[in-house]
Amino acid sequence: MTVKQFFKSAAFKSLTVLLAIVIVAGALLAIFNDLLKVTDEEKFKRSLQKIYGGDAEVKTTILASDAESVKIDGNTVNQAYLMDDGNYLIQATGNGGWQNGSITVWVIMSCTGSKESNSLKWNGIERVVYESNDKQSYITRFSDADYALFADHNTDLVAGKLFGDGINVVKTGASAPFTFGALTAAVNATVNYFKQTILGVATEPDIYKYQSYINLEETVITPNAAEKTVVYKLAMKKNGPAPSFTVDVTVKDGKITEYNVTGTICDPDNFVQDDSTGAQDANMSASLKDGTYFIGKGVSEIESLINEDGKVTSDTLTGGSLLTGATYSSGSLIYAAAFATANYEMCLYPIVHEDWVTEVVPTVDSTDVTYALVMKAFGMSAPVHATITVNDGKITAFATEGDLTTMDDGTYIGSIDASLKDGSYFENKTVADLEALLTDKGETNATLLGGASLSTGASNSSTVLIRAAIYALANYETYLAKGGEQA
């Protein structure tokens, strides 16, 4: 067939018609996409209607939908607004759901007063409203009562507790524990964001890495600096549908030498692993269950099973060649090992009252530990540079530099008892003796000093001197074991 014949053929005419249809259809689709496209503004209006059921106006935009989201503990805060009723509306996405999916919710933070008048008071959560999800096929089984649970614990919430961390939330109609875990994570993210960004409350930093998975009040940590071992009895928190249990771990020279579990690792009644069949699977890798996987491993090997969001997922387990159908229980076991190895050095050589000092240079000679300390100022206190020697748990020498009655700017701050100033008061004193001179806030006053027959008009500088002595005594065993190395 010639080219001329082809262009006259029925085949070419058919191709022409099809091409025309495609072009027209594509143009119509583009037009309808533009006509039917839901803008972010319209989506937000629809959400407000769903949340409030009526008129609601934004007074101030704190975090807009097109702004960069905020990551908190591996979860995401997407939007935040001050509403015209004085409450705050925050949207967050919680991860760790079924098949590593997520759930997004809106949370109304109930408030009275305002930041402008310096009278803002947070009363807790008013309401949690579902927005969307990723891969959570059982989400329709959640009832209004499941979302309402979060507003039933405002006293504990305002006092500083989080859901799953001091506040237990019982699932009523929800039969998807993984999804409920992601929901809880989303609500916790809004609470932390609100406290940090709106209230300006600095959340206390964790003492230990991975401590959010550990119940510290029931945990026992026993260091043995001489043998370079730390023995942990870790009380693990519930992790999603995974139950709580206890893990005994021994770490020597940074490697796990013993790993044993007490209690039920998996609770089959809480596991529904297959949405389509409802089949239960609470099996996990045998080497995780009996602890043999962890023997000989250090923190880097264990942390390789934890993703960048701080989560153990089916992907990280598969990447570690650990076949398991109990991701959350496996995660608890891995977090226990990570806690034990990541905090080994700090637990082996614990240092206390670090917030009292600016600089520490310790020197060890036999059973003497001598400290060159630069203390942090406290209130109207003079700069304190102290040299202290401790032997067998008692101060044997205490000396200071400079004029302790005058601040850097020359301000006279009052007299200091001579025995504090020259250090003679501290000789042969124990930690308990000196702690009796401080309040529970770690400071002294005229009443406490007077009760100890210490005449002084400069209680702030006296506080710093007493702190220096306590630091030296409380950390004696640690620095002796470390051979004087900086902690």
Side-chain angles (χ1 to χ4, degrees), residues 39-58:
T39 64
D40 288 342
E41 182 179 359
E42 181 60 30
K43 289 179 182 177
F44 182 55
K45 287 181 179 178
R46 293 180 183 180
S47 293
L48 288 183
Q49 179 65 31
K50 179 172 63 174
I51 296 165
Y52 288 95
D55 293 334
E57 295 291 334
V58 173

Side-chain angles (χ1 to χ4, degrees), residues 70 111 133 146 184 216 240-241 297 301 313 348 422 456 481 483:
V70 177
C111 297
N133 77 88
D146 293 309
T184 301
L216 290 179
K297 287 187 170 60
E301 296 161 290
T313 67
L348 183 63
D422 65 19
T456 179

Side-chain angles (χ1 to χ4, degrees), residues 76-88:
T76 307
V77 175
N78 309 304
Q79 302 177 58
Y81 306 92
L82 168 62
M83 306 304 292
D84 59 359
D85 61 3
N87 293 333
Y88 287 81

Side-chain angles (χ1 to χ4, degrees), residues 42 56 66 144 180 191 212 221 225 283 287 329 349 371 379 384 408-410 413 422 467:
E42 181 60 30
D66 57 354
D144 290 342
F180 202 89
V191 171
S212 61
I221 301 173
N283 296 318
S287 64
S329 286
Y349 303 119
Y371 304 80
V384 172
D408 278 333
D409 62 3
I413 55 178
D422 65 19
R467 285 179 172 182

